[in-house]
Amino acid sequence: MDLEKAPQATPAAPAPPPPSAPEGCIAAAIRIPVRIVVLVLVVPVRMVWDALVVGGKFVQRTLLLPVGRALAWLGRTLIVTPAVFLWEQLLVPLGHGLGWVGRMLGAGLGWVGKALFVWPWVALWRYVVVPAGAGAGRLGRVLFVVPAVWLYAYVLTPVGHGLAWLGRMLGAGLGWLAMAVFVWPWVALWRYVLAPVGRGLLWLGAVVLAGLAWMGRVLVVAPAVWMYAYVLTPVGHGILWAGRGIGTLLRWMFVVPVVALWRWVLVPVGKAIGVVAREVGDAVGHAWRIAGRISRAVGRAIGTLLRWIFVEPVRWAYRTVLTPVGHFVRDAVLRPVGQAVREAGRSARKALAAARESARQTRADVRRMLFGAPAREAAPIPVQKHRREPGAAQARTLGSSTTAPAHHQPLPHAAAVKFTKD
């Protein structure tokens, strides 16, 4: 067992970034002027853009969001809530009612359809057709199947076996006769006549083909080879040399000037344009970031100036003038006026309550004079408890004691005693 720790694998060092391509003199020469010009042109655009962004956010907070919320509330109030109410209170119950009516109507029509179209045919099939079919099957089996099976087993099968043996014998005789009449003569004709004649004709054809091949080689192939070797090959070499010369001439007339134009004019001009475009793009990005910082500083300065001009005076006036005046008005005017109004309201309520009570008493007196006093209900007769039944525990009073049951009356003025904190 290895008791030593294995050395931990050190993480691989990150690959160094690829070295940047060396910058040329054109990039170093146009970088600072281009960045200065672009900065002068971009700063107003960035300030206008930041002003538009701030204005858009202000319009969104103060106008678009409230209008959107109002439109949402209006749509919810005018469309969603009535639609939900109509759906829940009218359409759903109506749909449930129509569904119940449809189920009941479907059940009734189903029962009527079964009674008119299904059950009669089921009864006809079960009690008429099936028994009749069973009886007809038994009768057919007795009248047709059993005799047919007996006829097949004891009559047709022996006759068939005899006819099959007779057919086999007759077929063997006819086959031998056919072989003797049609096959053996033709086999003898092929073996002893046609095959020797065919072999002779094949040998003759081979001789003729060999002669024709020699004649074709002497009359056609040899002149063609001579023509290719001593006529067509020199002519082809001359045409190839002429084509190479024309191609070289065309290359020096068209291809070489185009390549020189591309290599020594277009490529350097394209690289210079690329360097200028890259520097302009970098200058625009740098100027946009610097313009953002300048715009933020200008915005903060304007905000600070506006706060000093408008917000701080208003805050100072609110804290030092309006707040003390408001507190004085609240304590000296509003609270006394409110107290007086509350007292007047309380007095008015008491007067109204007294007037209502007087009107109620007047109505009761008039009713008593016209219809008489109402009959008093008889007092309930107390039920005498049995002596042996235990009495209910009485509540403790000032005259009671906890050691023994007290049957004497409580103090006459106990209910009028009041305890205070003093």
Side-chain angles (χ1 to χ4, degrees):
M1 182 173 61
D2 189 5
L3 299 179
E4 295 182 357
K5 291 186 177 180
Q8 297 181 355
T10 58
S20 60
E23 297 181 349
C25 60
I26 298 178
I30 68 173
R31 178 172 300 163
I32 301 302
V34 167
R35 289 194 176 185
I36 293 173
V37 174
V38 171
L39 178 61
V40 173
L41 296 176
V42 168
V43 167
V45 177
R46 180 59 187 265
M47 294 184 69
V48 172
W49 173 259
D50 292 339
L52 291 177
V53 171
V54 173
K57 290 182 179 180
F58 176 76
V59 171
Q60 180 184 5
R61 289 194 302 267
T62 58
L63 180 61
L64 297 180
L65 286 179
V67 171
R69 289 170 182 171
L71 291 177
W73 177 85
L74 187 62
R76 185 168 58 251
T77 303
L78 297 180
I79 299 175
V80 178
T81 302
V84 172
F85 177 79
L86 179 64
W87 171 263
E88 292 180 352
Q89 305 298 329
L90 180 61
L91 296 180
V92 172
L94 181 61
H96 290 173
L98 293 176
W100 182 82
V101 171
R103 288 195 297 272
M104 295 297 102
L105 186 61
L109 292 177
W111 186 85
V112 171
K114 287 182 180 180
L116 293 178
F117 300 102
V118 178
W119 294 340
W121 295 103
V122 170
L124 179 64
W125 172 264
R126 182 176 298 173
Y127 300 107
V128 177
V129 176
V130 173
R138 294 190 185 92
L139 183 62
R141 183 173 181 277
V142 173
L143 295 179
F144 298 102
V145 176
V146 175
V149 170
W150 182 85
L151 180 66
Y152 176 79
Y154 297 101
V155 177
L156 297 179
T157 299
V159 172
H161 290 172
L163 291 176
W165 179 82
L166 182 61
R168 287 194 297 272
M169 295 296 105
L170 185 61
L174 292 175
W176 184 84
L177 181 62
M179 290 287 291
V181 174
F182 298 102
V183 178
W184 293 340
W186 295 102
V187 169
L189 179 63
W190 170 264
R191 181 176 298 172
Y192 299 108
V193 178
L194 296 179
V197 173
R199 292 190 186 97
L201 292 176
L202 184 61
W203 178 81
L204 181 61
V207 172
V208 171
L209 288 177
L212 292 176
W214 180 82
M215 291 178 64
R217 187 166 56 252
V218 172
L219 298 177
V220 178
V221 176
V225 169
W226 182 85
M227 178 67 71
Y228 177 79
Y230 298 100
V231 178
L232 297 179
T233 299
V235 173
H237 290 173
I239 294 173
L240 182 60
W241 181 83
R244 288 178 179 176
I246 295 172
T248 304
L249 180 63
L250 293 176
R251 179 173 178 272
W252 281 99
M253 290 178 63
F254 298 102
V255 177
V256 172
V258 171
V259 171
L261 178 65
W262 170 263
R263 182 175 297 174
W264 304 109
V265 178
L266 297 180
V267 171
V269 171
K271 289 182 178 179
I273 294 174
V275 170
V276 172
R278 185 178 71 249
E279 291 299 328
V280 170
D282 295 340
V284 169
H286 185 69
W288 185 262
R289 291 190 294 271
I290 294 176
R293 295 179 180 273
I294 295 173
S295 176
R296 182 173 60 184
V298 171
R300 289 179 179 177
I302 294 174
T304 304
L305 183 60
L306 293 177
R307 187 172 67 251
W308 288 348
I309 294 174
F310 297 102
V311 178
E312 292 298 334
V314 172
R315 182 185 297 176
W316 178 83
Y318 177 77
R319 287 183 177 178
T320 59
V321 178
L322 297 180
T323 300
V325 171
H327 290 177
F328 174 76
V329 171
R330 182 189 62 186
D331 297 335
V333 178
L334 297 179
R335 283 184 179 175
V337 171
Q339 187 67 25
V341 170
R342 285 193 294 273
E343 291 295 335
R346 191 177 298 111
S347 300
R349 286 195 297 273
K350 289 181 179 180
L352 290 176
R356 284 197 297 270
E357 185 65 26
S358 299
R360 189 180 300 110
Q361 292 295 334
T362 303
R363 288 196 302 271
D365 293 339
V366 171
R367 190 183 303 109
R368 191 180 301 109
M369 286 187 299
L370 294 177
F371 303 103
R376 295 184 178 179
E377 296 181 357
I381 301 174
V383 179
Q384 296 292 335
K385 296 183 180 180
H386 199 271
R387 293 181 180 179
R388 295 183 179 180
E389 293 181 358
Q394 297 179 356
R396 291 183 59 189
T397 60
L398 294 177
S400 62
S401 176
T402 56
T403 56
H407 299 285
H408 56 272
Q409 297 295 329
L411 296 176
H413 301 290
V417 177
K418 294 184 180 179
F419 297 93
T420 61
K421 294 182 179 179
D422 296 337

